[in-house]
Amino acid sequence: VVAFAQRAATVDKSSLDKLNHWLNDWCDKNPPYNGVNWKCGQEASIRVMHLACAAIILDQTHNTPKPLLQLVEAHLQRISPTVLYAVAQDNNHGTSEAAALFIGGDWLARNGNKRGLKWYKQGRKWLENRASRLIMADGTFSQYSTNYHRVMLDAYSIAEVWRHRCSLVEFSEKLKNRLCAAISWIHDLTDDETGDVPNLGANDGARLLPLSDTDYRDFRPSVQLAASLFYDKAAWKSNGIYDAPLEWLGIDKPSASMTKRSESHHHDGGFFVLRDTVKRNFVLFSYPKFQFRPSQNDALHVDFWVNGENVLRDGGTYSYNAGQRHIDYYGGVRSHNTIEIDGIEPMPRVSRFLLGYWLKPSNVLYKTDSRIAQAGYKDYLGRKHLRQVRIKDDRLIIFDRVVGVKKRAVLRWRLRPGSWKLDDRTVRNGEHSIVISTNATILRFEIIEGRESRYYYEETALPVLEVEVSEDCTLTTEYKFK
């Protein structure tokens, strides 16, 4: 829908006929409330938001054709009765469905449908509620996921675009403050030149507002749009392809711009960020402080970026439906840069989306003057892991202490693809090297082939350094780079 509308507004006027043909065919093949395409309230909500995007691009928000209004109304009749189910999930289902009700309800009301006002008010209520409930004061979103963070931001962005375009009452200061915090959170993790971000948390491949010809992993278009709308600042001052959503949706680019923080501690969500803004080097260090349900065993994971390249990496998600083997691997400790003790997950998996015995943080320490971050946990079996991270000049230094090892502990570093060579307790790849030291006997020091998924349902190989010990110990990892 969005792509046809963009083409119709610019180079190919016949695309409007194609768009209407596709919509008519879809309606014929998918009568309301029958079939798989009506099962999910969030999916219906995304369709409403895409129809609204098309209406904005084609200037059809007022005097909208009756068949299009009937299609929107049919969707709101599907979404509204089950919105409490979406809200109960405490995730992006609630934000998406609230945005659809807000936009679609006002759209119907301003075109003469009196039922629209009820849906508009319902949507506004839940947009306010979800921002207060799901976005923590430090900007962390309830799903602890970079991609679901983007999904949430895009839903609020299109709602704000509609509100602004239709001169509706502004959202509350609390909503705007929470959105600004969320924008800063993701802006700090977005590479300025590629738009890539750490592959943190669950990722189902969603990209809510495909308004720019950019890679799926380029987060800059979404961050630029949200920052311009809620922050009244551009995330990136210079002009670029990431400005496309502003142009398509008729939003002026602010003259002021954001700056990245050199370091930050997101104490509500459990994240440290240490950054060298000159060299595009930064560390993301996550620890288990859960106000909402976690989806991956990534406690004390470290993501490391050097000159914009992800050199210590998260495995991603791959798929929710590819079987238990993939769920266990990508959602488990083996897919993260941390330590596995005795082959047992620190939080046991209860179901496809649920983990039990949520971890709690311990020994949390943050020293901004010396750029040191520290955190630990004790799991349900009494095993302990304490990690301290320090970035200094041309090296990243990580200290690990494990207690409660009965059989073995395995430290894993998931490396960028390349020609890594083993040399005693050192691995090298060009100007990058990793040195491991410990007070324990190393039983195994090797590079194995692991898997990563940067895009949903796609996986590729990558080298994984595994260091195995059989006793309680301290391990030191020193990553040197230039």
Side-chain angles (χ1 to χ4, degrees):
V1 167
V2 174
F4 275 133
Q6 288 174 308
R7 290 180 63 84
T10 53
V11 298
D12 182 10
K13 303 304 179 184
S14 67
S15 288
L16 184 59
D17 292 332
K18 295 176 184 176
L19 172 56
N20 288 324
H21 173 75
W22 275 59
L23 285 174
N24 288 332
D25 183 72
W26 190 93
C27 292
D28 288 340
K29 302 294 194 306
N30 298 274
Y33 326 126
N34 288 285
V36 67
N37 287 322
W38 289 96
K39 284 183 67 176
C40 178
Q42 185 182 33
E43 184 175 328
S45 299
I46 293 171
R47 288 199 293 269
V48 171
M49 288 185 274
H50 282 188
L51 291 169
C53 274
I56 292 170
I57 292 169
L58 297 171
D59 195 24
Q60 291 187 7
T61 56
H62 298 70
N63 299 317
T64 306
K66 186 176 180 180
L68 180 53
L69 293 174
Q70 291 172 335
L71 181 60
V72 172
E73 183 176 12
H75 278 73
L76 299 195
Q77 286 177 319
R78 162 62 187 87
I79 299 164
S80 178
T82 59
V83 71
L84 288 179
Y85 172 79
V87 166
Q89 306 308 304
D90 275 345
N91 60 20
N92 58 61
H93 282 244
T95 57
S96 300
E97 295 186 29
L101 289 167
F102 173 84
I103 294 167
D106 177 72
W107 196 355
L108 294 174
R110 70 181 49 258
N111 282 276
N113 187 327
K114 295 181 180 180
R115 299 182 65 188
L117 184 60
K118 178 190 74 172
W119 289 320
Y120 159 76
K121 290 180 178 179
Q122 186 183 31
R124 176 181 279 273
K125 167 191 169 183
W126 287 117
L127 283 172
E128 292 280 356
N129 176 279
R130 295 294 82 190
S132 176
R133 162 73 177 159
L134 303 183
I135 304 172
M136 299 167 227
D138 67 4
T140 307
F141 183 52
S142 65
Q143 292 183 273
Y144 311 107
S145 156
T146 45
N147 196 58
Y148 285 155
H149 197 102
R150 174 170 65 176
V151 171
M152 174 272 295
L153 272 188
D154 281 348
Y156 276 99
S157 290
I158 191 60
E160 173 63 10
V161 168
W162 188 275
R163 187 208 64 76
H164 181 268
R165 183 181 182 90
C166 297
S167 301
L168 301 173
V169 176
E170 291 191 4
F171 292 115
S172 70
E173 284 301 312
K174 184 169 187 179
L175 181 149
K176 289 186 280 188
N177 289 338
R178 289 297 170 93
L179 264 295
C180 286
I183 292 161
S184 292
W185 189 94
I186 195 66
H187 181 247
D188 280 346
L189 299 182
T190 305
D191 182 68
D192 293 331
E193 294 188 15
T194 65
D196 203 358
V197 300
N199 207 2
L200 176 71
N203 178 355
D204 65 355
R207 187 184 184 190
L208 195 57
L209 295 180
L211 288 163
S212 58
D213 187 18
T214 50
D215 186 85
Y216 165 79
R217 296 197 57 85
D218 187 345
F219 277 53
R220 291 174 300 174
S222 291
V223 180
Q224 185 79 312
L225 176 61
S228 300
L229 291 168
F230 292 102
Y231 225 110
D232 198 25
K233 289 184 178 181
W236 292 275
K237 185 176 182 178
S238 60
N239 296 328
I241 194 170
Y242 43 77
D243 292 323
L246 301 177
E247 298 165 5
W248 283 111
L249 298 173
I251 304 300
D252 294 331
K253 184 175 180 177
S255 56
S257 59
M258 299 176 65
T259 56
K260 278 186 166 61
R261 293 172 286 191
S262 59
E263 61 229 347
S264 54
H265 178 198
H266 302 278
H267 48 77
D268 294 320
F271 297 97
F272 297 105
V273 179
L274 306 175
R275 175 182 302 282
D276 181 340
T277 54
V278 176
K279 297 181 179 180
R280 291 168 63 212
N281 304 334
F282 81 90
V283 179
L284 171 66
F285 174 26
S286 62
Y287 64 92
K289 190 172 182 182
F290 302 126
Q291 297 184 41
F292 301 89
R293 67 187 186 201
S295 64
Q296 295 196 351
N297 269 296
D298 57 359
L300 308 188
H301 167 80
V302 168
D303 223 86
F304 187 36
W305 295 63
V306 175
N307 195 28
E309 184 178 11
N310 193 185
V311 295
L312 295 178
R313 309 156 84 116
D314 191 308
T317 299
Y318 181 62
S319 170
Y320 296 149
N321 300 298
Q324 197 63 43
R325 180 173 63 88
H326 287 90
I327 291 172
D328 289 343
Y329 179 76
Y330 284 100
V333 68
R334 288 182 297 161
S335 195
H336 300 95
N337 295 315
T338 185
I339 294 180
E340 179 185 21
I341 304 175
D342 293 330
I344 302 171
E345 299 287 353
M347 294 183 289
R349 184 163 295 282
V350 178
S351 69
R352 184 168 48 159
F353 297 113
L354 296 178
L355 299 174
Y357 293 106
W358 295 3
L359 299 173
K360 295 181 180 180
S362 63
N363 303 102
V364 178
L365 175 69
Y366 184 46
K367 293 184 178 180
T368 57
D369 53 344
S370 52
R371 307 186 76 189
I372 294 176
Q374 174 184 285
Y377 68 79
K378 178 181 178 181
D379 72 10
Y380 71 107
L381 294 174
R383 305 170 305 173
K384 298 178 182 179
H385 181 193
L386 177 68
R387 169 165 280 182
Q388 186 181 101
V389 176
R390 176 186 302 174
I391 186 168
K392 183 179 180 180
D393 300 326
D394 61 348
R395 65 193 63 198
L396 173 70
I397 304 170
I398 300 168
F399 302 96
D400 287 300
R401 173 67 178 166
V402 289
V403 176
V405 179
K406 293 182 177 180
K407 295 181 180 179
R408 65 188 181 97
V410 179
L411 168 66
R412 289 188 179 88
W413 296 117
R414 301 171 56 82
L415 311 173
R416 63 171 180 170
S419 181
W420 292 89
K421 304 296 183 184
L422 291 173
D423 179 12
D424 193 22
R425 294 185 180 183
T426 302
V427 294
R428 291 187 173 86
N429 181 4
E431 295 182 330
H432 292 239
S433 65
I434 300 173
V435 180
I436 306 291
S437 58
T438 179
N439 60 350
T441 300
I442 294 180
L443 302 180
R444 184 168 57 89
F445 186 93
E446 66 176 337
I447 293 177
I448 68 164
E449 181 178 281
R451 311 294 289 176
E452 71 172 346
S453 177
R454 289 173 48 78
Y455 302 86
Y456 196 67
Y457 245 116
E458 292 184 16
E459 62 176 350
T460 53
L462 86 167
V464 180
L465 173 63
E466 292 193 345
V467 182
E468 183 177 338
V469 296
S470 61
E471 58 190 312
D472 296 353
C473 66
T474 300
L475 299 107
T476 301
T477 301
E478 191 170 353
Y479 192 120
K480 299 178 183 179
F481 58 92
K482 291 183 179 180

